[in-house]
Amino acid sequence: MRILLTGVGGPAGRALAEQLSARGHWVAGTDLRPAGLGLDAFQQVCPVADAGYLPDLVELTHEWAVDAIIPSISEELPLLARLREHLPVPVLIGSPDAVATADDKLLTAARLHAAGVAVPRFAVPSAFRSAADAIEEVGGPIIVKPRVGRGGRGVWLIEEPEAVGPAAESFWAGLDDSSIVQEFAPGQEYAPVLFRESEGVFPASVALLKTELKEGVVGNAISVTRADGPEADDVRAVAQAAADALDLTGPIDIDVRRRADGTPVVLEVNARFGANSAHAPEQLAVALAALSMLPVTAGR
């Protein structure tokens, strides 16, 4: 199969490019910056927000005669989900509504909470008078992060009310409701990787335990290991419940942490492959099988 992989220079894209090449597929990639991965083809592209992004992507599908597109960067997901039927080849992505909800951490938390899926306590910054007030009302340490973003960018942890000083309160005063405030769950963190079919079946569902995080207690995973035993059954269950509640299909990458009492809660949901997909190769295997069954859309 000839695959066009977007965001190939990022962690998720690199992991996918290596797996696809190892499986013998022809792999082309796009990215904002030179990738240097030894791909079959590569093109540096403009930012997703630019008007030329989608036309350039369409042109490359024709130029490279690709069979499918696999997106790997969060910024483009709502756009590609909304316009996937106008692209000349199948795109491995969920429905527009599901993808748009997953793209916004506040909407995700609200949808999951309404469906009875365990999530950290959450609100927007304007719901609290100050950082110290937020900690007291939430009942413990809090995380503040952008509602729309990826990885550990812009994530801020405040652990104790007495640790809140003038700098923290000044930062808080500058926040608006484009951020979300979440209860900090102090237990183990997992990265469940799933593939959900439209019938609600999960042919791939693997719980990965994050054994080291970039910022110590928060941030992207530096290393993971598979958690295949029964101790991870509840993590897989809550991840699948989240995918069901959002009605996401295709590859899904989820962040889950345990509260102090051991209860797993869903932190956020990504409607794409994650950086750790190589540790769950069955996710890509079922994705490729699904792509081979998708009909060609426009122009091919």
Side-chain angles (χ1 to χ4, degrees), residues 19-40:
Q19 292 175 78
L20 288 166
S21 295
R23 290 171 182 262
H25 298 283
W26 188 93
V27 184
T30 61
D31 204 277
L32 279 171
R33 292 167 291 277
L37 291 174
L39 301 165
D40 294 293

Side-chain angles (χ1 to χ4, degrees), residues 95-298:
S95 70
D97 177 67
V99 170
T101 301
D103 190 55
D104 186 320
K105 296 176 180 61
L106 180 65
L107 296 182
T108 298
R111 181 78 63 89
L112 297 186
H113 178 69
V117 179
V119 295
R121 290 183 288 274
F122 66 94
V124 291
S126 64
F128 309 104
R129 295 185 301 273
S130 65
D133 179 54
I135 293 175
E136 292 192 8
E137 288 201 31
V138 169
I142 58 171
I143 289 283
V144 182
K145 58 187 176 182
R147 287 172 52 176
V148 177
R150 56 180 167 137
R153 300 173 184 176
V155 176
W156 185 47
L157 170 65
I158 311 177
E159 298 191 65
E160 300 293 342
E162 55 268 24
V164 178
E169 292 297 4
S170 176
F171 172 79
W172 190 272
L175 290 174
D176 59 28
D177 288 350
S178 63
S179 294
I180 181 174
V181 180
Q182 284 183 327
E183 160 203 1
F184 175 66
Q188 290 181 314
E189 184 164 346
Y190 299 82
V193 293
L194 316 173
F195 191 95
R196 182 177 182 270
E197 297 175 345
S198 57
E199 301 82 7
V201 176
F202 293 90
S205 179
V206 179
L208 301 177
L209 172 65
K210 298 184 181 183
T211 53
E212 185 179 1
L213 299 176
K214 187 175 182 180
E215 306 298 331
V217 294
V218 296
N220 292 335
I222 295 176
S223 59
V224 301
T225 186
R226 286 179 70 114
D228 287 325
E231 73 278 3
D233 286 347
D234 57 351
V235 173
R236 285 188 292 271
V238 76
Q240 291 181 13
D244 284 337
L246 298 178
D247 197 24
L248 271 175
T249 56
I252 309 168
D253 179 70
I254 300 181
D255 286 336
V256 172
R257 284 190 82 129
R258 293 190 185 276
R259 285 187 168 125
D261 65 1
T263 302
V265 291
V266 176
L267 307 183
E268 56 188 74
V269 179
N270 299 294
R272 56 171 174 78
F273 285 98
N276 303 301
S277 63
H279 294 269
E282 54 265 58
Q283 185 190 33
L284 180 57
V286 297
L288 290 171
L291 271 177
S292 69
M293 301 296 291
L294 289 175
V296 172
T297 53

Side-chain angles (χ1 to χ4, degrees), residues 61-92:
T61 65
H62 292 299
E63 179 182 336
W64 291 332
V66 300
D67 300 307
I69 297 171
I70 300 181
S72 77
I73 54 173
S74 297
E75 290 86 348
E76 69 183 343
L77 297 181
L79 172 70
L80 294 186
R82 191 170 66 251
L83 300 177
R84 61 181 177 173
E85 293 183 358
H86 300 286
L87 289 163
V89 295
V91 183
L92 193 62

Side-chain angles (χ1 to χ4, degrees), residues 6-7 30 45-58 73 76 79-80:
T6 68
T30 61
V45 293
C46 61
V48 174
D50 286 10
Y53 182 79
L54 194 63
D56 287 351
L57 197 62
V58 170
I73 54 173
E76 69 183 343
L79 172 70
L80 294 186

